[in-house]
Amino acid sequence: MNPRFVLAALAAGLCGLAAAADPPKPAPVPELKLPDGVTPDSLDDPKEAARVAELLEKQYPAPRSEGARMLIAILRGSKLNGTDGWFGPAKTRYTWAWLAARHEIEPKAGEITKEKFRGPEKLFDALDRDGDGKVTPGDLDWSDRNPYVVQMNSVNRLFRGLDRSGDGRLTRDELDEFFKMASKGKDHVTAEDVRNLMIPRGRAGFSAGDGPSVPVLVRGLFAGEIGSIGEGPNPGDAAPDFTLKTAGGDGAVTLSKLIGPRPVVLLFGNFTCGPFRALYPDLEAVHRRFQGDATFLMVYVREAHPTDGWAMESNARAGVRVAQPTTLGERAKVCDQFCRVLKPAMPVVVDEITDPAGTAYSGMPGRMYVIDRAGKVAYKSGRGPFGFRAGELEQALVMALLEAGPGK
């Protein structure tokens, strides 16, 4: 064992003990609300929205909470494309520096070959994203400008456009239907045909009937439909406990009873969130690969696009028409619909109608966590839908497994 790495680990441990003995007290977050006399409907006037945004910028000075940033961004005309407001990257303690220290190499060395990797080949393959036989910082880079991530986002958007049923499974019939729509009677399609069909011309890049108004977004923000105003735990924080009924109502799951033997993968999602439906099979694929190594649990939360909220025509075309449940029984019935369409193999529990778990984890409309064997958050995805990156979750889980197991 390299003494330099032993000293570094010891120093990190002592710092952790000091922090645990005297934890810092976070400053209280001011309650987020609209100024007196302002209603969501009044914000349909762009001038009024700009005036209120200016007032809120003074009322909530920087550094602002995520909720305040999102509300101001909406009033400033946010395109909701993942680049402003409360959207941002995942938070994780599993960085390249962490992996390099685990393998007792300097981060500047820049690579870990398969021969030097301290773990099973399956874990190495999950980290070696580009398949070149070595793990590098680039393999762990999930930033929006990374070439792989740029291509991944483009493919995901194309897939969602082809997946007319909205169940995350592309069929031959759907491909045939796409060809008919794009070709318009020709025996072929061109790049222009595909662009015209796949790139929306609606408001802010949304498909026709999907673009929301400012009042709809403001109401959705305060209702917790477009996301949780709270921010949820960060890496190093204890995972909030909960006990929730299983889908079907024949049992209950307590999170704290799952923690200890193996890492826990915690997923939050709902039926009316199109991106979550489209990419849920990717999460099931991670579950299939690692169900023997980790515990998986999905929490079904508040609907993102109910018919009485930010309704989407793309949902209606896929046969997804759901009003926001007002009782636990109603939410459980919608969860049953989700289970019939998406066919999850992992256990699913249903959040209470007051959203205790979704609020505690900032899990609406969707989010992903990895919880280590000590019950601490190790990985927290970005907010949905832009934080839905199953590959990033899988890499975080792999490093949690490396941390839990012995080195070579």
Side-chain angles (χ1 to χ4, degrees):
M1 178 70 74
N2 190 319
R4 183 167 64 255
F5 292 101
V6 173
L7 290 174
L10 180 59
L14 291 174
C15 290
L17 288 174
D22 187 19
K25 295 181 180 180
V29 178
E31 179 186 1
L32 185 64
K33 59 183 181 179
L34 292 173
D36 292 341
V38 175
T39 66
D41 286 336
S42 69
L43 299 171
D44 207 23
D45 178 358
K47 291 183 179 179
E48 174 66 359
R51 183 188 73 83
V52 173
E54 188 173 344
L55 288 176
L56 292 174
E57 287 173 339
K58 295 176 181 177
Q59 184 176 349
Y60 301 99
R64 299 185 179 96
S65 68
E66 291 181 6
R69 295 205 306 269
M70 191 71 249
L71 178 56
I72 292 169
I74 290 171
L75 299 179
R76 294 289 189 194
S78 171
K79 306 299 184 183
L80 270 73
N81 58 8
T83 61
D84 57 9
W86 58 24
F87 297 110
K91 296 180 180 180
T92 180
R93 72 164 186 260
Y94 298 131
T95 62
W96 168 252
W98 180 92
L99 189 63
R102 175 77 182 175
H103 289 77
E104 298 185 39
I105 65 169
E106 293 288 350
K108 293 180 180 179
E111 65 180 42
I112 300 170
T113 62
K114 183 176 291 188
E115 293 73 25
K116 294 182 179 179
F117 185 72
R118 297 184 172 184
E121 184 175 352
K122 178 175 76 169
L123 304 190
F124 178 87
D125 289 342
L127 296 179
D128 179 21
R129 188 173 66 186
D130 61 10
D132 65 353
K134 56 191 177 184
V135 180
T136 67
D139 288 316
L140 309 185
D141 179 11
W142 291 90
S143 62
D144 288 334
R145 293 189 177 184
N146 178 274
Y148 175 87
V149 175
V150 171
Q151 294 179 69
M152 178 191 73
N153 289 338
S154 298
V155 171
N156 287 346
R157 185 158 191 167
L158 175 63
F159 179 87
R160 286 190 59 208
L162 296 172
D163 178 27
R164 305 290 288 182
S165 64
D167 64 356
R169 296 174 175 87
L170 189 58
T171 66
R172 183 185 297 273
D173 288 343
E174 287 171 327
L175 286 173
D176 289 344
E177 179 65 20
F178 169 78
F179 182 85
K180 291 178 183 178
M181 294 174 64
S183 64
K184 296 181 179 180
K186 302 193 301 291
D187 62 356
H188 65 276
V189 296
T190 65
E192 182 182 45
D193 295 331
V194 175
R195 286 195 302 270
N196 289 341
L197 186 60
M198 300 301 298
I199 300 178
R201 300 181 67 184
R203 179 180 180 270
F206 289 101
S207 299
D210 285 355
S213 65
V214 170
V216 165
L217 290 177
V218 171
R219 281 193 290 267
L221 175 70
F222 285 103
E225 292 173 355
I226 69 169
S228 306
I229 290 180
E231 300 180 9
N234 288 316
D237 293 341
D241 196 16
F242 58 74
T243 299
L244 297 173
K245 291 182 178 179
T246 56
D250 56 352
V253 175
T254 298
L255 177 64
S256 58
K257 293 181 180 179
L258 304 179
I259 291 171
R262 306 187 297 183
V264 174
V265 176
L266 198 57
L267 311 174
F268 293 83
N270 66 89
F271 190 40
T272 56
C273 180
F276 184 78
R277 291 198 313 275
L279 299 178
Y280 181 76
D282 290 358
L283 302 175
E284 277 290 329
V286 177
H287 171 244
R288 286 195 302 273
R289 288 192 286 270
F290 292 97
Q291 59 184 321
D293 307 300
T295 300
F296 288 73
L297 182 67
M298 176 183 162
V299 181
Y300 192 89
V301 295
R302 175 174 290 270
E303 299 302 325
H305 298 288
T307 54
D308 51 350
W310 179 2
M312 284 196 157
E313 286 295 323
S314 55
N315 272 343
R317 289 193 294 270
V320 178
R321 299 178 180 88
V322 175
Q324 190 66 259
T326 58
T327 67
L328 178 58
E330 290 177 355
R331 180 173 287 175
K333 288 182 180 179
V334 182
C335 179
D336 288 343
Q337 283 185 261
F338 169 86
C339 292
R340 286 196 300 271
V341 174
L342 276 299
K343 299 177 176 58
M346 70 180 72
V348 180
V349 294
V350 183
D351 201 6
E352 299 286 347
I353 202 63
T354 54
D355 310 314
T359 299
Y361 281 89
S362 190
M364 286 132 5
R367 205 154 205 167
M368 307 180 295
Y369 285 86
V370 174
I371 301 170
D372 66 21
R373 295 196 304 172
K376 304 286 188 181
V377 171
Y379 164 84
K380 172 186 181 181
S381 77
R383 288 179 179 261
F386 304 101
F388 295 159
R389 294 176 177 174
E392 183 181 47
L393 169 73
E394 183 171 10
Q395 287 189 340
L397 173 58
V398 162
M399 289 190 268
L401 294 172
L402 287 175
E403 184 177 49
K408 181 181 291 186

